[in-house]
């Protein structure tokens, strides 16, 4: 009770001897009571509480802190701990908010890009009267980007006519076909064509024959070793897959491309027979109006009774050995899709080309939105049409096709020569010795 005594001494000092003994006792009692209150307040558990472990529970759900026993310094520690855990929860909440904001932003970006796609197509219009409305078929061309391949840009600047040209890929395996191919092109007088040489032999073969050539070998555009080996030694289908990859640069440079296999004989200038209204304009594997241009193929399932007839849409595939691409975003997207799939699947490039072109969007898949046009199968003629139908028909055999593609027959060289003999050299019986199909 030192404080009380000191207080008493002070009272004694201040009060001097004038205070009575009774009043001093009252003062001491009052001071003692006040001191008691003060100690009771600050030390509710007394002075000699053993040092207990901090014993508190932080409820996870409402984050209340319950003290069972502690000292003031421990209480400070607890408050600190509570503050730390609260700020950790805060940080977690902020993270969650950021995540939600990001999701929202991405969602809005998706909506935004969809709106942009609409904007690219132009302003909104009111629909006109019945029979006058027409959807967009002819997409805008890309802005030419010479930086993707300045070498090729220079070559194409010299070779192309009206920013379009025929492009063929070739390695030494198809040297003889290539010769018939470029000879027929020269005969017609088509100036805008080029051979993408996949090996040096073909490159020099073209040069010595005055054929415009772009040598992939010398322009180290591709680091991909696999591509190089396919290019040099690959057979028909393997090389065929490469074209989708190589054509991209032609389109990026702003050129329209008529991709051509080399088992094609040119009889007229194809650029006089194109519509140029679609992203993709392709020859067909079809052999009559139905198979070439599409038809309603009715599937019969008698068990279904009343609903036994299921209607299906059918057409023969586009031939990926002769198609015209305008330099548009959907055309480039088509090339990318086919290239990407051929890199991961052991698939036939023509099948992939058609699937990407025609399968619509469905759950889990966004289809390509490219416009397409099927070429006239009598003008851009496949060898089935020629050997099965045309050569036996007195009227049809008088029509001169634009090209004949010997795609349906393995004896390509002899049939190509026969086509030249029949249509160019006037040998009426040149096509007669061959069977309709292969034997
Ligand atoms: C095939 O279609 C063309 C026009 O696309 C038409 O002129 C011709 O008569 C049709 N042929 C047959 C056999 O239906």
């Amino acid at each position: 009770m030192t404080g009380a005594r000191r207080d008493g001494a002070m009272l004694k000092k201040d009060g001097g001897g004038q205070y009575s003994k009774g009043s001093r006792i009252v003062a001491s009692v009052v001071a003692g009571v006040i001191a008691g209150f003060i100690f009771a307040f600050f030390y509710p558990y007394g002075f000699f509480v053993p040092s207990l472990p901090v014993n508190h529970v932080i409820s996870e759900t409402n984050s209340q802190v319950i003290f069972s026993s502690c000292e003031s310094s421990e209480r400070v520690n607890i408050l600190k701990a509570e503050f730390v855990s609260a700020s950790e929860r805060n940080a977690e909440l902020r993270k969650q908010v950021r995540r939600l904001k990001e999701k929202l932003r991405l969602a809005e970006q998706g909506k935004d890009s969809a709106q942009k796609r609409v904007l690219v197509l132009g302003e909104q219009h009111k629909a006109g009267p019945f029979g006058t409305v027409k959807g967009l078929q002819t997409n805008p061309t890309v802005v030419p980007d010479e930086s993707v391949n300045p070498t090729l840009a220079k070559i194409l600047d010299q070779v192309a006519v009206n920013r379009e040209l025929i492009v063929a890929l070739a390695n030494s395996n198809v040297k003889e076909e290539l010769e018939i191919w470029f000879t027929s092109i020269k005969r017609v007088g088509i100036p805008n064509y080029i051979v993408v040489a996949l090996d040096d032999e073909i490159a020099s073969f073209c040069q010595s024959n005055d054929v415009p050539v772009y040598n992939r070998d010398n322009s180290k555009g591709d680091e991909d070793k696999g591509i190089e080996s396919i290019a040099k030694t690959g057979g028909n289908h393997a090389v065929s897959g490469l074209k989708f990859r190589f054509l991209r640069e032609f389109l990026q440079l702003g050129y329209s491309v008529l991709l051509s296999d080399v088992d094609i004989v040119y009889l007229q200038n194809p650029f006089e027979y194109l519509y140029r209204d679609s992203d993709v304009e392709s020859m067909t594997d079809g052999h009559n109006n139905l198979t070439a241009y599409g038809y309603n193929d009715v599937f019969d399932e008698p068990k279904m009774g009343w609903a036994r007839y299921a209607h299906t849409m059918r057409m023969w595939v586009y031939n990926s050995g002769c198609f015209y691409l305008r330099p548009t975003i959907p055309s480039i997207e088509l090339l990318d899709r086919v290239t990407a799939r051929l890199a991961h699947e052991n698939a036939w490039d023509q099948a992939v080309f058609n699937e990407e072109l025609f399968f619509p969007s469905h759950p889990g898949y966004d289809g390509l939105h490219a416009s397409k046009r099927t070429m006239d199968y009598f003008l851009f003629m496949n060898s089935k049409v020629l050997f099965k139908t045309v050569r036996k028909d007195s009227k049809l055999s008088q029509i001169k096709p634009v090209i004949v593609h010997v795609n349906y027959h393995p004896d390509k060289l002899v049939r190509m020569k026969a086509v030249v003999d029949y249509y160019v050299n006037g040998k009426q019986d040149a096509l007669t010795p061959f069977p309709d199909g292969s034997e």
Side-chain angles (χ1 to χ4, degrees), residues 46-300:
F47 284 107
F48 304 107
V49 178
S51 113
L52 294 169
V54 177
N55 183 15
H56 64 275
V57 177
I58 298 176
S59 155
E60 295 197 349
T61 48
N62 56 18
S63 72
Q64 269 183 335
V65 180
I66 300 155
F67 296 92
S68 62
S69 84
C70 64
E71 290 183 320
S72 63
S73 67
E74 282 167 342
R75 188 180 259 187
V76 167
N77 284 343
I78 289 161
L79 286 170
K80 272 186 193 164
E82 192 197 14
F83 179 74
V84 168
S85 76
S87 44
E88 274 168 5
R89 275 195 302 280
N90 233 330
E92 184 54 37
L93 277 173
R94 271 200 298 270
K95 250 188 236 167
Q96 280 176 11
V97 167
R98 266 204 301 274
R99 266 182 236 131
L100 283 172
K101 275 186 181 167
E102 178 66 7
K103 273 186 189 166
L104 193 68
R105 193 185 64 78
L106 287 173
E108 270 171 355
Q109 194 181 45
K111 197 176 72 186
D112 190 43
S113 72
Q115 270 167 354
K116 268 182 205 153
R117 267 181 251 173
V118 171
L119 287 176
V120 165
L121 301 181
E123 294 159 34
Q124 287 183 296
H125 298 284
K126 285 181 185 170
F130 175 80
T132 64
V133 294
K134 246 178 182 291
L136 192 79
Q137 166 113 354
T138 310
N139 286 308
T141 56
V142 296
V143 175
D145 180 4
E146 300 218 338
S147 70
V148 300
N149 190 335
T151 314
L152 183 60
K154 261 182 213 152
I155 298 171
L156 296 187
D157 188 45
Q158 289 166 4
V159 173
V161 174
N162 298 326
R163 293 193 83 79
E164 52 186 13
L165 76 166
I166 299 169
V167 177
L169 271 65
N171 65 14
S172 305
N173 294 342
V174 294
K175 193 173 173 182
E176 288 173 292
E177 291 162 29
L178 182 68
E179 185 167 18
I180 302 177
W181 178 85
F182 66 64
T183 306
S184 74
I185 287 177
K186 288 179 180 183
R187 191 185 296 116
V188 175
I190 303 163
N192 47 333
Y193 71 105
I194 196 167
V195 173
V196 177
L198 300 175
D199 58 41
D200 291 334
E201 190 186 337
I202 285 296
S204 53
F205 180 60
C206 288
Q207 274 153 8
S208 61
N209 282 282
D210 215 12
V211 168
V213 64
Y214 170 56
N215 194 353
R216 283 293 308 185
D217 230 27
N218 293 336
S219 56
K220 296 263 182 276
D222 274 292
E223 321 77 31
D224 200 330
K225 291 264 163 59
I227 295 269
E228 292 301 315
S229 83
I230 291 171
K232 290 204 172 68
T233 60
N236 240 350
H237 284 180
V239 169
S240 199
L242 286 180
K243 62 195 172 200
F244 297 96
R245 192 185 173 107
F246 292 167
L247 283 184
R248 191 186 212 277
E249 285 180 356
F250 288 79
L251 299 195
Q252 273 184 290
L253 293 171
Y255 290 87
S256 298
V257 167
L258 179 65
L259 182 279
S260 175
D261 279 357
V262 292
D263 52 350
I264 290 177
V265 175
Y266 284 78
L267 301 166
Q268 300 190 60
N269 189 334
F271 295 108
E272 289 165 21
Y273 295 88
L274 296 173
Y275 288 76
R276 300 179 180 81
D277 60 349
S278 304
D279 296 309
V280 183
E281 197 169 339
S282 178
M283 82 170 281
T284 170
D285 270 2
H287 52 90
N288 56 28
N289 279 6
L290 298 187
T291 58
Y293 305 142
Y295 65 107
N296 177 7
D297 189 26
V298 182
F299 176 80
D300 187 8

Side-chain angles (χ1 to χ4, degrees), residues 299-435:
F299 176 80
D300 187 8
E301 197 177 359
K303 261 199 249 171
M304 289 302 293
W306 180 77
R308 63 184 288 177
Y309 301 114
H311 294 256
T312 72
M313 310 293 299
R314 239 182 137 189
M315 56 177 252
W316 269 222
V317 292
Y318 277 4
N319 187 287
S320 63
C322 177
F323 57 85
Y324 176 79
L325 294 181
R326 294 182 66 248
T328 63
I329 292 296
S331 296
I332 294 171
E333 188 185 351
L334 172 67
L335 296 178
D336 287 358
R337 281 169 176 253
V338 176
T339 301
R341 277 190 58 191
L342 290 178
H344 298 107
E345 293 170 34
N346 187 21
W348 183 23
D349 66 282
Q350 177 163 288
V352 173
F353 173 71
N354 277 275
E355 287 169 11
E356 293 301 329
L357 206 45
F358 289 100
F359 285 164
S361 300
H362 54 256
Y365 176 76
D366 288 333
L368 179 73
H369 289 256
S371 56
K372 45 243 170 202
R373 166 180 283 281
T374 310
M375 290 170 167
D376 187 317
Y377 65 92
F378 284 126
L379 296 181
F380 294 82
M381 191 186 289
N382 62 58
S383 55
K384 180 171 168 175
V385 171
L386 176 62
F387 286 97
K388 206 184 128 186
T389 312
V390 167
R391 66 171 173 164
K392 302 169 187 170
D393 185 299
S394 58
K395 264 193 192 161
L396 292 177
S397 57
Q398 299 309 307
I399 304 169
K400 193 179 208 177
V402 177
I403 65 157
V404 173
H405 186 185
V406 187
N407 62 319
Y408 270 107
H409 300 88
D411 48 345
K412 293 176 187 296
L413 269 182
V414 283
R415 291 201 191 230
M416 284 175 84
K417 284 174 185 160
V419 167
V420 173
D421 278 343
Y422 182 78
Y423 284 110
V424 180
N425 303 328
K427 289 188 184 161
Q428 293 297 308
D429 58 350
L431 301 174
T432 326
F434 298 94

